[in-house]
Amino acid sequence: LLGGAVVVALLGLVVLAVDHKAAVQPGSTGVPPRFKGLGQSANTTSLLFGLALPLTVWLVFTRRRAAGLAAFALLDGSIVASGSRGALLGGFAGAAIFALALAGMRMRLVTLGTVAALFVASFVIGTLPQPLSHNPPRPARLLAPTHPKPGYIDANAVFPLSDDIGRPLPGTGEGFGKREALGSSGRTEAWRGALHQAAQRPIVGYGFGTESDVFVEGYHLFAGGVPENSYIGILLQLGVVGLVLFLVVLGSWLWRGARALGRSADRLALAA
């Protein structure tokens, strides 16, 4: 698993070397450029790296210290360059669990302190890239010509519905928000809107696989075809029934893991 994630990270560096535009997500006045490597977006492969990052701690403590440190630097560096805060937080939370699973209180404290220091350093470095001073030119869109009546204009051409919710009125400034380290990037507005949509079909939702089709993305500060929340996405597709069934399965896994804590001596395996 760790080797597969490392290969994906290395291929991302190859893409960066041969095609910079394909490997870097363009920035704007609100968001700095973000590294996406081999992924579809800056959050795609970084989430994979976040899941694999704790395994580098395991590798360090299985007499493969150099390989573990190199893998950690590669994955952590890719996450930091992507600006994916969820991947960074999740990866280091998992690394902390591995630190707590190590035998010996002194070793646990030293490793946990090291993980915490590396997280702070990674977080600070990730906030250094600054947004652009001006937005890059947008590619021309092929739109069907409109023919409004004389004396009228096509309001959707100058104030599009796809960017309507939360946008200041014309003449009052665009008000694009800067992507902050602890901000939501407009996700909370999208989550509230998706929950309102889910409430219209609360029992069984709109159908499996329909999340991107039914989600209405008209939020000024949010860019995405889905709400970017897995639980809300399940609720939107499968309703309360589907979400409860998913949580029951997840809870059964966690219960089995908790019961295994008292029977297994392999603490690192349980951490994984």
Side-chain angles (χ1 to χ4, degrees), residues 3 30 46 68 80 83 102 108 126 139 146 204:
S46 58
V80 170
L102 297 173
R108 293 181 190 176
T146 59
V204 293

Side-chain angles (χ1 to χ4, degrees), residues 20-227:
H20 184 272
K21 290 184 178 180
V24 177
Q25 187 170 298
S28 67
T29 55
V31 181
R34 302 174 63 190
F35 175 70
K36 62 179 182 179
L38 197 63
Q40 185 178 12
S41 73
N43 293 322
T44 308
T45 54
S46 58
L47 292 177
L48 168 66
F49 302 152
L51 290 171
L53 192 67
L55 295 177
T56 63
V57 180
W58 160 78
L59 197 63
V60 168
F61 287 92
T62 54
R63 299 181 181 180
R64 299 179 180 88
R65 182 169 299 177
L69 293 175
F72 175 88
L74 175 64
L75 299 183
D76 183 40
S78 298
I79 295 173
V80 170
S82 75
S84 180
R85 299 162 298 188
L88 188 67
L89 179 61
F92 274 93
I97 292 176
F98 264 82
L100 292 174
L102 297 173
M105 182 58 66
R106 181 182 177 184
M107 181 63 69
R108 293 181 190 176
L109 293 177
V110 170
T111 306
L112 194 60
T114 303
V115 168
L118 289 172
F119 170 74
V120 172
S122 299
F123 184 84
V124 171
I125 294 173
T127 61
L128 295 179
Q130 296 298 312
L132 304 182
S133 57
H134 60 277
N135 286 322
R138 293 183 178 181
R141 295 187 299 173
L142 298 178
L143 297 177
T146 59
H147 303 285
K149 294 181 179 181
Y152 293 86
I153 62 172
D154 181 6
N156 197 49
V158 295
F159 202 77
L161 289 174
S162 61
D163 194 26
D164 180 56
I165 304 174
R167 181 177 181 176
L169 293 174
T172 61
E174 286 295 322
F176 285 103
K178 179 180 177 182
R179 187 176 191 267
E180 300 176 351
L182 300 177
S184 69
S185 300
R187 287 184 176 89
T188 52
E189 290 82 1
W191 294 348
R192 284 196 292 267
L195 288 174
H196 282 296
Q197 286 186 255
Q200 298 175 18
R201 293 193 180 184
I203 306 301
V204 293
Y206 291 86
F208 182 74
T210 61
E211 181 181 3
S212 61
D213 296 324
V214 301
F215 173 64
V216 178
E217 201 291 278
Y219 303 93
H220 181 53
L221 297 179
F222 178 76
V226 295

